[in-house]
Every structure is written in structure tokens, then in C-alpha cells.
Amino acid sequence: MNYSGIRYGLLVLGLIQVLLLSCTDDDLKKAAAISAGKVALTKDRSLKVEVIYSDSAKVKAKGFAPILDKVSPKTGNQYQEMPKGVKIDFYGDLQTKTGSITSDYAIMKETEQLTIFKKNVVVVTDNMTFKTEELTWDQNKKMFYSPTGTVLKPDGSFVDAKNFTSTQDFSQTTFEQGSGVTYFKGDLSQ
């Protein structure tokens, strides 16, 4: 008989039992999901990330995220997720701040060139403030889209808007089915 093979087999079985006894129910479920091939992604986490976007050596935007996860599924496209939110400041040609976007969550789909901001999304420019729960930036079209939101003007007027669309610099906005309050200067009877 080969006693070294039996001893090795018993040692391996003993180690497996020790490992299984040290696992909780949640650990066993995770292990089962991984072995079944249900979990097939890698996630690289970065903390306190600051990103600078430039064009022709001019800073156009600076973004900050407390947490940035780069997710690479086994099948499908890579994406970047900001589960603790993001703040992006925009800059004009003279490097003065022209606006900002903040949200509690964001996801950037690299292949589609889409960034989706969700939860307490606020866009601030000199001409308006736009508040919504979801805003999509299409890099290819250089446009922003939102199904609903509120446009607030510096004079205190506001519009609740549906199908909000804006150019990348928020200089031109359109929306449908708007309702709200606006203020007029002067005499309307003339």
C-alpha cells in the first residue's frame, strides 16, 4: 500500500473541512456563485480621483469622485462607476469656471461614450440651474439628455420640463411640456 498517498489525501480532506468550517453561509453562497460562473468581472477601485479634461492644451473640465470603480465584466463592455457621486467643474477659454455638474452616483459606459448621472443631479451655469434625478451625456453627439427636471433661472422663474435636451456647454436648451412660473419686466398691456 502507498501510505504517503493516503496521508496526503487525508491531509487535503482535513484542510478542506477546516476551510469549510471557517466559512459563513454568505461565504459559501459567494463561493458557489463564483464556481458556477455567475460572477465574472473584475473591479479596480481608486479613491479620491481627480480627472482633468483638456482640448488643444486648454483645460475644459475638472472632475472629482471620492470612489471610482473600473469594472471589467468577463462578457460585455467595460464601464466606470462612481458609487459615491461626482463633481465636475467646466472652464471657458480664459480658464474661468463656467458651470458644474454634481450627482450622488454616475456611470461612464466607455464603448457607448455615455455618462449617466443619477440621484440629486444639479447642473449650474451663469444662465440657469437644472435639477433632475437622471442626466445622460452623449460624448459622440456632445449633448445632454434628461427625461424630466426643473430649470431655474437667476430671476427666480422656473420651469418643470420633460425631455430636456442641451448642448454640451448648456448654451442652448430645449424641452417639452414645460410648466412653471416666469417674471416679466415692464407693462404687459402695451
Side-chain angles (χ1 to χ4, degrees), residues 45-168:
R45 177 165 278 187
S46 300
L47 303 175
K48 297 181 181 178
V49 176
E50 186 171 341
V51 178
I52 298 174
Y53 299 96
S54 63
D55 184 16
S56 303
K58 291 185 180 179
V59 174
K60 295 293 183 181
K62 290 181 184 177
F64 175 77
I67 297 173
L68 176 71
D69 292 332
K70 185 170 183 174
V71 182
S72 302
K74 188 173 183 178
T75 58
N77 299 323
Q78 290 184 351
Y79 59 92
Q80 294 182 18
E81 189 174 38
M82 291 143 271
K84 295 291 183 184
V86 65
K87 178 174 183 178
I88 302 171
D89 292 324
F90 299 102
Y91 294 90
D93 291 333
L94 301 175
Q95 297 304 295
T96 57
K97 185 176 167 184
T98 59
S100 66
I101 295 178
T102 57
S103 69
D104 292 345
Y105 172 87
I107 184 168
M108 188 170 87
K109 299 179 179 183
E110 296 174 12
T111 304
E112 296 95 337
Q113 294 290 296
L114 295 174
T115 302
I116 303 167
F117 303 91
K118 291 186 177 187
K119 299 179 188 169
N120 299 315
V121 182
V122 179
V123 177
V124 177
T125 69
D126 291 338
N127 301 327
M128 68 159 200
T129 299
F130 179 66
K131 295 182 177 184
T132 184
E133 287 300 307
E134 183 175 324
L135 181 68
T136 301
W137 176 40
D138 186 328
Q139 277 184 269
N140 293 324
K141 295 179 182 177
K142 297 183 179 183
M143 297 289 289
F144 283 94
Y145 304 97
S146 179
T148 61
T150 302
V151 178
L152 301 119
K153 295 288 187 172
D155 66 359
S157 61
F158 67 91
V159 174
D160 292 324
K162 292 187 188 251
N163 298 324
F164 176 87
T165 303
S166 176
T167 54
Q168 186 168 274

Side-chain angles (χ1 to χ4, degrees), residues 11-45:
L11 178 63
V12 170
L13 285 174
L15 283 173
I16 290 173
Q17 287 178 344
V18 169
L19 290 173
L20 289 176
L21 289 173
S22 66
C23 293
T24 64
D25 286 342
D26 288 341
D27 293 334
L28 292 174
K29 288 177 187 173
K30 288 178 188 174
I34 291 170
S35 67
K38 293 180 184 175
V39 178
L41 58 87
T42 59
K43 185 189 288 190
D44 294 320
R45 177 165 278 187

